[in-house]
Amino acid sequence: MARIMGIDTGGTFTDGVIIDPSKEQILCKSKVFTEKHDLISSVDACISNLMHSEDPGQIALVCISTTLATNAIVEGKKGRVALLLTGGKPEGKLPADICIELKGKLNIKGKEKEPLDLEEVARSIEGLKDRVDAVAISGYASVRNPKHELLVKQILGGITQLPVVCAHELSSELGYYDRTVTASLNAGLIPVIRDLIYAVRAALKKKGINVPVMIVKGDGSLMRDTLALDKPIETILSGPAASMIGGVYLTKQKNGLILDMGGTTTDTAIVNEGRVKIKNSGAVIGGWSPQVKAADIQTFGLGGDSRIGISPEGKLVMGPRKVMPLCVAGSKYPNLFGELREIASGERFEHADADCFSLIKIPQNMEFTEMEKKILHILAEDAHSLYQITNRLGKAPDTLTLERLESNEVIQRISLTPTDILHINGSFLLWNAEISKEGAKIAAKQMQKTLSEFLEEVTAAFNNKMVFICKNAIPDVSDSKKANAGVPDCKKANSGVPEFFKDKPMIAIGAPVKAWMPAVSKMLQASLIIPEHAEVANAIGAAAGQITESVVALIRPDRSTDEFILHAPWEWKSFRTLEEAVEYAAAYARKYAFKKAEDAGGSNIEVLDLREDIYVDDFNHDAKNFIEVRIKATAVGRLI
């Protein structure tokens, strides 16, 4: 029987599963550390674990969810992009290395006001060779008429083999600036996703697996890897979307709150009739707002690897900084235990904290100060506590600034985390619990508390923050109480029991939920479901996805000619009657959606089209004025 492999690359772990879709059975699973600077080795290790007892010939499909596109935008690690514009340059900063304005313009209705200068287009493209990795083309009103964008793309294809994307292919929204940003970001992500896909294919080939590879999009649906090479922007928020699908798949619950707790973040979403709401835009990634469809998910900077620190005033601080847990570091760097034990037991270390550092890499193109060079020399030997580093440098801990090295990922901070707390209380034991205890002793001393008092306060604080996250996710909490970022001190926000949980469950997935969520659900008086395989639900969601593609065409009246204009991703066309335009648009929209689903890798495709007539009240509210007809065709295809 054909089987599907699902892989999810998260910020902390890379998870994998193999499922039998006919029986909805999880056959095997794998969880390995994500090596952030060697993502491919993490994927390879995960696949190797899965294939220990599985026949490669049984694998029919591989589905991947990834945070790679999101991380590349946030970290500014995209490819070099040239942006070709027609109809003027939109106001605002653009994520492109080269920006070229070309002659040619359409009006807002898609009619040509100025033709393209084809020779100018060709000259501009010739000048891009060896200067960029990809090209984005964006034109004013291109969603009303894609003629100019498509012509520039055609000319480019005859001159160079550079990857290229048109803005109208990614978004049907009118906003010229946002559409241009989306196209530019997409172009920059092409080399990033290309490297991942090629490496995954190579890892599969080593195992004798030669099957189609699918990528999870931000709305939870799937597309063929070859399509992802053209539209990598659509993989933004891929990981959280896969998690939500996995939660529904494992529990068969059609309504409720899904909470996915990872190492870096906690994601929440409302499930209604088995689906998570899809938003056409609104996601903010690295300061940009690309127009991509994504699941309506809220993300909070609190997870198993969130740093637990003590403020100068002696107050507990938790998150959003992600660090390496002490227990993990203690297994990799045995010397750290002795260094922290010395701090925990010595009176002269009254104000020292439990932070340690390890060396990640030394970039070749980065200039370092003399002090930074000395720090890197110390860490090249082994990981060390902050106190040990400053002691060897002859500096006071509060005078040493490591932020630049840390933000450029030259060094890794190691500290006390919620994962360490679980190791201390014995509810989760995988790494070195003894070093976790020493770190907690140091923090307790900073707060002038006993170890047991400190652990009790940390546990209560974490639970309160998780209660706040749950309340913030549900619809019966007013928007005025919702936070846009971070997790504040939320004792007041935790008063009262939401009506939502009186008839809907909380579905908790992710590695740490078994340890934390029973107490949280009790505080909320919510029924809690933690399904089997909850720790790899994201990989299961990747394997359980489906192909869904849609297209929207608009038909608007032209008052000057009494004709009706079709605005579609494939063309701009006029018709004498509305009925003629609707019939034509519906037929072509179905074909267009079918082709998109087919290109995405779907089989046994079914297409549904819906018509919506839009009217508005006239000035006196005594009549309706016709505005437009919207034709939306949606194609759904199975995987195997």
Side-chain angles (χ1 to χ4, degrees):
M1 183 60 66
R3 295 169 179 176
I4 300 176
M5 179 186 294
I7 302 287
D8 175 82
T9 58
T12 303
F13 289 107
T14 292
D15 299 336
V17 296
I18 294 177
I19 69 171
D20 180 342
S22 64
K23 299 179 181 177
E24 295 193 354
Q25 182 181 2
I26 314 301
L27 301 175
C28 60
K29 55 188 175 182
S30 170
K31 181 178 282 286
V32 302
F33 269 118
T34 297
E35 297 294 341
K36 190 173 181 182
H37 303 283
D38 189 5
L39 185 63
I40 305 315
S41 69
S42 303
V43 174
D44 187 62
C46 187
I47 292 174
S48 296
N49 289 346
L50 291 173
M51 298 313 298
H52 279 321
S53 58
E54 292 296 319
D55 176 10
Q58 295 294 312
I59 306 298
L61 194 67
V62 175
C63 302
I64 302 171
S65 61
T66 178
T67 59
L68 198 57
T70 306
N71 293 344
I73 293 175
V74 171
E75 297 166 10
K77 296 178 180 178
K78 310 181 301 301
R80 299 168 300 168
V81 173
L83 175 61
L84 304 181
L85 297 167
T86 65
K89 183 179 179 181
E91 292 185 9
K93 183 180 178 182
L94 296 169
D97 300 274
I98 298 174
C99 187
I100 300 174
E101 295 182 57
L102 301 170
K103 294 177 183 176
K105 188 171 185 179
L106 307 172
N107 68 15
I108 192 61
K109 295 183 178 180
K111 290 185 177 180
E112 188 174 74
K113 294 177 63 177
E114 178 187 11
L116 287 172
D117 182 334
L118 303 186
E119 291 185 358
E120 179 195 40
V121 174
R123 286 195 307 270
S124 299
I125 294 170
E126 286 282 0
L128 297 177
K129 291 181 178 179
D130 301 321
R131 298 177 63 195
V132 294
D133 301 302
V135 179
I137 303 168
S138 185
Y140 179 79
S142 64
V143 293
R144 292 290 185 250
N145 185 355
K147 174 183 176 180
H148 282 180
E149 286 188 2
L150 290 173
L151 188 52
V152 174
K153 182 178 182 179
Q154 180 183 347
I155 296 171
L156 191 146
I159 297 175
T160 176
Q161 296 301 309
L162 284 170
V164 59
V165 63
C166 293
H168 80 273
E169 297 171 334
L170 300 170
S171 173
S172 60
E173 301 297 321
L174 267 178
Y176 183 29
Y177 172 75
D178 289 336
R179 196 168 64 251
T180 302
V181 166
T182 303
S184 300
L185 290 174
N186 185 86
L189 291 173
I190 288 174
V192 176
I193 293 298
R194 178 189 59 209
D195 291 346
L196 171 66
I197 290 172
Y198 288 174
V200 169
R201 288 177 180 169
L204 292 171
K205 186 176 180 180
K206 286 198 308 185
K207 305 296 186 294
I209 302 172
N210 183 24
V211 298
V213 176
M214 310 295 290
I215 308 292
V216 179
K217 298 194 291 184
D219 63 0
S221 63
L222 295 165
M223 61 178 166
R224 195 187 297 274
D225 61 347
T226 51
L227 188 59
L229 290 172
D230 293 330
K231 299 183 178 181
I233 193 89
E234 295 189 0
T235 68
I236 285 177
L237 300 178
S238 157
S243 296
M244 302 307 154
I245 292 173
V248 174
Y249 182 88
L250 288 171
T251 63
K252 303 298 184 288
Q253 292 290 320
K254 293 190 175 296
N255 300 284
L257 170 69
I258 295 185
L259 179 144
D260 177 18
M261 188 190 300
T264 310
T265 61
T266 294
D267 302 319
T268 61
I270 299 297
V271 179
N272 186 28
E273 295 303 316
R275 295 182 178 275
V276 175
K277 181 181 176 183
I278 302 299
K279 298 192 298 183
N280 288 325
S281 61
V284 179
I285 309 294
W288 303 102
S289 298
Q291 292 179 331
V292 291
K293 289 197 297 183
D296 189 0
I297 295 171
Q298 296 192 56
T299 298
F300 295 86
L302 184 68
D305 295 347
S306 296
R307 180 179 180 268
I308 297 174
I310 311 302
S311 72
E313 297 76 30
K315 300 294 184 182
L316 190 65
V317 180
M318 194 178 302
R321 186 199 293 263
K322 170 185 162 61
V323 298
M324 179 185 290
L326 287 173
C327 55
V328 176
S331 298
K332 297 179 67 174
Y333 311 108
N335 64 297
L336 290 181
F337 174 75
E339 293 184 16
L340 292 189
R341 184 171 59 179
E342 182 184 8
I343 297 172
S345 59
E347 293 300 325
R348 60 195 180 96
F349 305 107
E350 182 179 355
H351 300 293
D353 59 31
D355 282 2
C356 305
F357 293 88
S358 65
L359 178 65
I360 298 174
K361 63 177 181 181
I362 300 181
Q364 298 299 315
N365 58 350
M366 184 174 174
E367 296 290 331
F368 299 105
T369 66
E370 288 303 313
M371 182 59 67
E372 287 173 338
K373 290 177 182 178
K374 292 178 181 179
I375 293 169
L376 296 180
H377 179 73
I378 293 171
L379 293 179
E381 305 167 1
D382 216 333
H384 288 291
S385 68
L386 177 61
Y387 173 79
Q388 183 68 226
I389 296 170
T390 54
N391 187 47
R392 291 178 59 172
L393 292 171
K395 298 282 186 179
D398 58 357
T399 65
L400 195 64
T401 301
L402 300 174
E403 289 297 329
R404 194 174 87 98
L405 293 177
E406 196 176 352
S407 63
N408 284 281
E409 297 180 342
V410 178
I411 62 176
Q412 164 78 59
R413 185 182 293 261
I414 300 163
S415 194
L416 189 68
T417 67
T419 299
D420 291 296
I421 302 304
L422 298 184
H423 276 71
I424 296 169
N425 64 33
S427 57
F428 180 69
L429 292 172
L430 187 58
W431 299 292
N432 188 330
E434 293 302 313
I435 193 173
S436 299
K437 191 171 183 179
E438 297 302 320
K441 287 179 182 178
I442 295 169
K445 184 187 296 186
Q446 288 180 286
M447 294 186 72
Q448 298 183 343
K449 293 180 179 292
T450 65
L451 178 60
S452 60
E453 288 172 340
F454 172 75
L455 294 175
E456 184 178 340
E457 181 161 338
V458 171
T459 301
F462 190 87
N463 288 343
N464 279 332
K465 289 177 185 294
M466 293 307 300
V467 167
F468 174 83
I469 286 173
C470 294
K471 286 189 172 184
N472 203 58
I474 58 180
D476 57 346
V477 175
S478 66
D479 289 338
S480 63
K481 293 182 180 179
K482 292 183 181 286
N484 292 322
V487 184
D489 184 7
C490 44
K491 291 181 180 179
K492 292 182 180 180
N494 290 341
S495 59
V497 178
E499 292 287 328
F500 181 88
F501 291 121
K502 290 188 176 180
D503 58 356
K504 300 179 184 68
M506 179 192 302
I507 302 162
I509 56 178
V513 294
K514 290 182 181 178
W516 292 108
M517 294 313 296
V520 173
S521 62
K522 187 175 181 179
M523 293 169 69
L524 288 164
Q525 296 182 29
S527 60
L528 175 65
I529 301 174
I530 300 178
E532 185 182 7
H533 311 301
E535 75 281 7
V536 291
N538 39 16
I540 292 170
Q546 63 180 8
I547 304 292
T548 304
E549 294 288 344
S550 61
V551 61
V552 175
L554 304 180
I555 302 167
R556 301 171 68 92
D558 187 335
R559 309 296 182 190
S560 62
T561 63
D562 290 329
E563 292 184 325
F564 294 87
I565 309 300
L566 168 65
H567 305 282
W570 59 89
E571 67 180 329
W572 181 96
K573 188 177 178 68
S574 62
F575 296 86
R576 296 180 61 186
T577 67
L578 179 61
E579 291 71 22
E580 182 185 6
V582 168
E583 182 179 358
Y584 178 91
Y588 272 82
R590 286 194 296 268
K591 292 179 182 178
Y592 196 86
F594 183 95
K595 184 65 166 56
K596 287 181 68 176
E598 188 176 54
D599 291 344
S603 61
N604 298 317
I605 299 168
E606 297 180 0
V607 184
L608 173 69
D609 65 87
L610 296 173
R611 169 181 172 172
E612 182 181 10
D613 291 21
I614 308 298
Y615 292 84
V616 296
D617 291 335
D618 68 2
F619 184 77
N620 295 316
H621 300 283
D622 56 4
K624 297 283 187 180
N625 289 328
F626 171 68
I627 299 298
E628 65 186 17
V629 172
R630 297 177 184 175
I631 304 292
K632 181 177 182 179
T634 301
V636 179
R638 293 203 297 268
L639 295 175
I640 57 176

